[in-house]
């Protein structure tokens, strides 16, 4: 019976292939020497991903290992029988490279010869170490698919990389078909790609840390939500106990409302956490593949698999998360308290109106990523035209109401209550709300005001209160010949930046951000306002002098 067990290698460590010492068993059911599995996991501490060497099941965090007492006793009894441990060689299993020279059941190969294009077990590799004829052969750790390491046309080993065609070639190829191309050794190209691989790994690790942080914030928010829901339910119950039987039905509806919203919000958060965990698992899986590729000694294998494995991780797949840390059901408590004083008049329609505030409670809100380059900003471009009914009488509109110029002559505009009477300003027809918008402005000369405003900005008066940025209803960027100034509610922020004749304006209404950029080959952020917008915003412009025209750029 004992010899049967030995033949099946059931008491050998899959790492060192020796009899188990201080055996431990992982959660997936595989057993190892405690020292072997600890050393194996120590090598992956920097990734935070720990896997079983046999089935590749991953564990996070690192599992605590305990000695398998029963297995240790069995191994000790087998030692006492005087049986020898299993041979050092083991048979090739799934995922192993088999020996090409073994007959019948094949042993696991230890080395592959790039000259012979064959793999050898410990027994069959000996001639390569002992025979003089094999001294020039190149041995590497065993790898599969050796036929992919030779040139299909010349039957030579692939050991050169053509940078022109981005492919692995043999020496003969480099002298004939690729003679005029830029070629380097596979090892040299490996060094270049290895650096790119490291950058990708760093990006993946950063993404993992970001998602882990989001999960922690979501967990905290869920706990806060649960505590708040519990408190509010208890408070509601105290109030409801003081009410008469005629409102018991409404009492039940409010309790169910809080419970249902708690469940919906928790399910929402848990679903989000599951999505984040799946992304983390995928990133870790990919990181493990990249690590395995990074550690391979076979340059050709590395280069052939580099393109498919080392593409940068896609960005923006998941929107960023803003966790709602201020979770409260206070609106429900207020509605319930009012029941005490308005029992007869309180009706079902009133409780429905109050319940709307409960449905606004959410553990997190989703925000699409901020644009990172001009191409992404242009996705939100909008069409704007100047409104003649708002234009100061000395402002001349042209080019389809997209250009405004200060004129010495008074324009023949009809009387209109929305016209600026003393400020040389004009607004656009189009209002912006509940969305993202981007537009670009060209300005010349002495300078201009570029901004947005609520429709209720003052149109009369000779003081500065009706100018863009000088009140609490508008925000603006003042562009002058050598500087910029951000202005809101008469609060100024001086900005030092190179002069840019084209200004990009990006408005994210829901996020409460208004950003101004200098547009050239790159987008240079000049200033960002952060606030809460409460009504539609209208782009507007003010002119300093006769030689300072402003034009709304055509982006489509």
């Amino acid at each position: 019976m004992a010899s049967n067990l030995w033949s099946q290698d059931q008491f050998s460590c899959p790492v060192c292939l020796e009899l188990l010492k201080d055996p431990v068993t992982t959660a997936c059911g595989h057993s190892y020497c405690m020292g072997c599995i600890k050393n194996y996991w120590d090598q992956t501490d920097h990734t935070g991903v720990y896997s079983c060497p046999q089935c590749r099941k991953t564990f996070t965090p690192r599992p605590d290992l305990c000695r398998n007492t029963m297995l240790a006793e069995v191994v000790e009894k087998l030692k006492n029988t005087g049986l020898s441990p299993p041979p050092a060689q083991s048979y090739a299993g799934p995922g192993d490279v088999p020996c090409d020279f073994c007959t019948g059941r094949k042993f696991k190969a230890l080395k592959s010869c790039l000259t012979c294009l064959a793999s050898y077990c410990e027994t069959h590799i000996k001639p390569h170490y002992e025979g003089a004829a094999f001294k020039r052969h190149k041995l590497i750790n065993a790898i599969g698919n050796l036929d992919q390491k030779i040139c299909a046309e010349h039957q030579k080993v692939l050991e050169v990389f053509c940078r022109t065609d981005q492919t692995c070639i043999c020496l003969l190829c480099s002298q004939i078909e690729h003679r005029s191309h830029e070629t380097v050794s596979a090892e040299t190209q490996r060094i270049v790609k290895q650096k790119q691989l490291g950058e990708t790994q760093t990006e993946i690790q950063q993404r993992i840390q970001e998602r882990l942080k989001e999960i922690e914030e979501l967990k905290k928010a869920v706990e806060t939500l649960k505590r708040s829901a519990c408190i509010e339910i208890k408070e509601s119950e105290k109030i409801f106990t003081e009410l008469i039987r005629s409102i018991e039905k409404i009492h039940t509806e409010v309790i169910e409302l809080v419970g249902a919203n708690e469940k919906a919000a928790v399910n929402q958060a848990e679903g989000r956490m599951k999505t984040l965990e799946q992304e983390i698992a995928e990133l870790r899986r990919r990181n493990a593949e990249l690590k395995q590729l990074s550690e391979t000694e076979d340059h050709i294998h590395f280069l052939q698999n580099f393109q498919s494995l080392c593409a940068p991780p896609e960005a923006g797949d998941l929107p960023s998360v803003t966790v709602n840390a201020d979770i409260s059901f206070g609106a429900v408590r207020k509605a319930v308290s009012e029941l005490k004083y308005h029992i007869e008049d309180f009706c079902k329609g009133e409780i429905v109106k109050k319940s709307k505030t409960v449905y606004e409670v959410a553990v997190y809100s989703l925000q699409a990523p901020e644009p990172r380059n001009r191409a992404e900003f242009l996705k939100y471009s909008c069409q704007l035209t100047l409104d003649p009914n708002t234009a100061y009488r000395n402002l001349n509109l042209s080019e389809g109401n997209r250009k405004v110029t200060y004129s010495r002559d008074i324009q023949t505009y009809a009387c209109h209550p929305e016209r600026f009477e003393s400020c040389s300003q004009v607004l656009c027809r189009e209002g912006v709300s509940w969305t993202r918008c981007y537009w670009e402005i060209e300005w010349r000369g002495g300078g201009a005001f570029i901004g947005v405003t609520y429709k209720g900005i003052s149109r009369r008066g000779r003081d500065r209160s009706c100018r863009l940025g000088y009140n609490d209803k508008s925000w603006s960027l003042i562009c002058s010949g050598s500087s910029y100034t951000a202005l809101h509610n008469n609060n100024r922020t001086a900005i030092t930046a190179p002069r840019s004749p084209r200004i990009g304006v990006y408005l994210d209404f829901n996020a409460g951000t208004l950003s101004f950029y200098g547009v050239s080959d790159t987008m240079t952020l000049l200033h960002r306002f952060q606030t809460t917008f409460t009504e539609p915003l209208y782009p507007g412009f003010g002119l300093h002098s006769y030689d300072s025209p402003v034009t709304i750029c055509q982006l489509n």
Side-chain angles (χ1 to χ4, degrees):
M1 180 67 178
S3 61
N4 233 358
L5 291 171
W6 282 124
S7 65
Q8 298 174 23
D9 291 339
Q10 293 183 2
F11 299 96
S12 298
C13 173
V15 177
C16 67
L17 303 180
E18 295 180 1
L19 195 62
L20 288 165
K21 304 179 188 67
D22 291 326
V24 294
T25 303
T26 60
C28 56
H30 295 105
S31 299
Y32 303 89
C33 299
M34 182 176 289
C36 291
I37 191 64
K38 281 186 174 180
N39 290 336
Y40 182 82
W41 283 347
D42 286 344
Q43 298 173 12
T44 58
D45 266 343
H46 66 285
T47 67
V49 182
Y50 306 92
S51 62
C52 172
Q54 287 187 274
C55 66
R56 300 300 178 185
K57 178 178 177 60
T58 59
F59 309 99
T60 303
R62 179 170 175 164
D64 293 324
L65 298 173
C66 297
R67 191 169 184 264
N68 189 327
T69 306
M70 180 179 294
L71 186 56
E73 291 175 356
V74 173
V75 172
E76 189 62 30
K77 289 180 180 179
L78 289 172
K79 285 183 179 180
N80 295 334
T81 62
L83 293 175
S84 299
Q89 291 199 99
S90 58
Y91 290 110
D96 293 330
V97 178
C99 175
D100 291 322
F101 284 80
C102 286
T103 58
R105 188 177 181 186
K106 296 180 177 292
F107 281 115
K108 179 180 177 180
L110 297 180
K111 296 288 182 179
S112 294
C113 177
L114 295 181
T115 306
C116 301
L117 294 178
S119 299
Y120 303 90
C121 65
E122 183 178 1
T123 301
H124 292 112
I125 195 61
K126 289 181 179 179
H128 275 75
Y129 294 134
E130 300 170 356
F134 297 101
K135 286 185 177 180
R136 295 181 179 272
H137 288 204
K138 186 174 182 180
L139 295 176
I140 61 172
N141 289 336
I143 59 171
N145 301 321
L146 282 171
D147 56 324
Q148 296 181 9
K149 309 300 184 295
I150 62 173
C151 174
E153 183 176 353
H154 303 115
Q155 300 303 307
K156 299 290 184 181
V157 176
L158 300 175
E159 50 187 326
V160 178
F161 186 80
C162 177
R163 287 179 172 173
T164 304
D165 292 339
Q166 290 293 300
T167 186
C168 297
I169 60 176
C170 68
L171 280 173
L172 197 54
C173 287
S174 67
Q175 297 170 4
I176 304 176
E177 295 91 337
H178 299 261
R179 181 173 55 186
S180 60
H181 294 180
E182 181 185 2
T183 59
V184 294
S185 68
E187 183 177 4
T188 299
Q189 186 67 11
R190 162 71 180 267
I191 294 173
V192 176
K193 296 299 184 182
Q194 185 81 31
K195 182 180 179 182
Q196 296 179 17
L197 183 145
E199 293 172 351
T200 302
Q201 284 182 296
T202 300
E203 188 174 347
I204 288 176
Q205 285 300 316
Q206 183 179 356
R207 185 85 62 82
I208 290 174
Q209 294 305 315
E210 290 172 354
R211 295 312 187 196
L212 285 173
K213 182 179 179 181
E214 289 177 7
I215 288 178
E216 287 304 314
E217 291 177 349
L218 284 169
K219 286 180 178 178
K220 292 178 182 178
V222 167
E223 290 303 316
T224 303
L225 174 78
K226 290 181 178 179
R227 287 194 299 268
S228 176
C230 182
I231 292 171
E232 296 305 324
I233 289 175
K234 289 181 180 179
E235 291 296 323
S236 298
E237 287 176 343
K238 289 180 182 179
I239 297 172
F240 272 117
T241 57
E242 301 174 9
L243 299 178
I244 60 177
R245 185 174 300 177
S246 61
I247 61 169
E248 288 181 348
K249 181 179 179 180
I250 300 176
H251 174 198
T252 303
E253 291 177 354
V254 172
I255 296 299
E256 291 176 350
L257 175 66
V258 174
N261 189 70
E262 176 193 5
K263 181 178 179 181
V266 171
N267 288 341
Q268 180 193 35
E270 290 175 346
R272 176 65 178 177
M273 286 190 287
K274 182 177 180 181
T275 302
L276 292 172
E277 288 168 348
Q278 289 174 347
E279 181 183 352
I280 290 172
E282 175 61 22
L283 289 170
R284 284 174 171 160
R285 179 196 64 76
R286 184 175 175 192
N287 192 52
E289 291 178 352
L290 290 173
K291 182 177 182 298
Q292 185 178 3
L293 179 63
S294 176
E295 293 175 350
T296 181
E297 297 180 6
D298 180 5
H299 307 314
I300 299 303
H301 174 76
F302 177 91
L303 294 172
Q304 289 178 330
N305 291 273
F306 175 83
Q307 197 66 30
S308 61
L309 292 179
C310 206
E314 296 181 0
D317 289 344
L318 283 174
S320 61
V321 171
T322 301
V323 177
N324 182 7
D326 185 19
I327 299 175
S328 173
F329 289 84
V332 180
R333 188 192 304 181
K334 179 181 178 182
V336 174
S337 298
E338 290 176 354
L339 288 175
K340 293 175 59 180
Y341 308 101
H342 304 285
I343 294 176
E344 298 298 331
D345 296 330
F346 204 81
C347 63
K348 188 175 182 180
E350 182 69 13
I351 194 64
V352 169
K353 182 179 71 174
K354 296 296 182 183
S355 70
K356 291 180 179 179
T357 60
V358 178
Y359 285 117
E360 294 174 357
V361 174
V363 175
Y364 67 88
S365 59
L366 295 178
Q367 296 179 2
E370 185 88 2
R372 292 165 296 183
N373 52 56
R374 187 166 182 264
E376 293 185 4
F377 279 106
L378 290 176
K379 294 178 182 178
Y380 300 100
S381 62
C382 57
Q383 297 293 332
L384 299 176
T385 53
L386 300 171
D387 184 359
N389 291 330
T390 67
Y392 180 61
R393 291 187 180 277
N394 285 86
L395 295 183
N396 177 44
L397 306 187
S398 60
E399 296 185 9
N401 288 342
R402 288 191 299 108
K403 181 177 180 179
V404 55
T405 307
Y406 198 99
S407 173
R408 289 183 172 82
D409 300 325
I410 296 177
Q411 307 299 302
T412 57
Y413 295 130
C415 293
H416 199 282
E418 294 186 359
R419 188 174 312 286
F420 289 101
E421 292 189 350
S422 59
C423 296
S424 55
Q425 296 180 158
V426 61
L427 302 184
C428 289
R429 293 180 183 273
E430 298 80 10
V432 180
S433 62
W434 311 113
T435 186
R436 292 181 167 196
C437 284
Y438 176 76
W439 59 95
E440 290 181 355
I441 306 301
E442 286 187 348
W443 66 281
R444 291 189 291 108
F449 285 71
I450 299 173
V452 298
T453 181
Y454 294 145
K455 197 166 188 176
I457 188 174
S458 176
R459 315 297 173 106
R460 294 168 177 79
R462 295 192 174 276
D463 59 5
R464 293 184 172 184
S465 62
C466 61
R467 290 189 178 183
L468 293 172
Y470 283 89
N471 49 71
D472 61 357
K473 294 180 173 59
S474 61
W475 297 256
S476 72
L477 181 74
I478 304 176
C479 306
S480 64
S482 58
S483 65
Y484 301 96
T485 303
L487 188 62
H488 170 63
N489 203 19
N490 206 20
N491 293 319
R492 295 169 173 265
T493 301
I495 301 167
T496 302
R499 177 187 174 98
S500 176
R502 178 174 286 221
I503 301 296
V505 185
Y506 174 68
L507 172 66
D508 189 335
F509 191 97
N510 290 332
T513 60
L514 174 68
S515 305
F516 295 89
Y517 291 86
V519 180
S520 57
D521 293 335
T522 59
M523 303 289 289
T524 302
L525 178 63
L526 301 175
H527 187 76
R528 176 179 289 122
F529 291 103
Q530 183 70 58
T531 185
T532 300
F533 299 120
T534 58
E535 56 184 281
L537 293 164
Y538 290 82
F541 313 98
L543 273 61
H544 282 172
S545 58
Y546 298 103
D547 63 341
S548 302
V550 171
T551 304
I552 302 173
C553 301
Q554 192 77 28
L555 299 180
N556 294 331

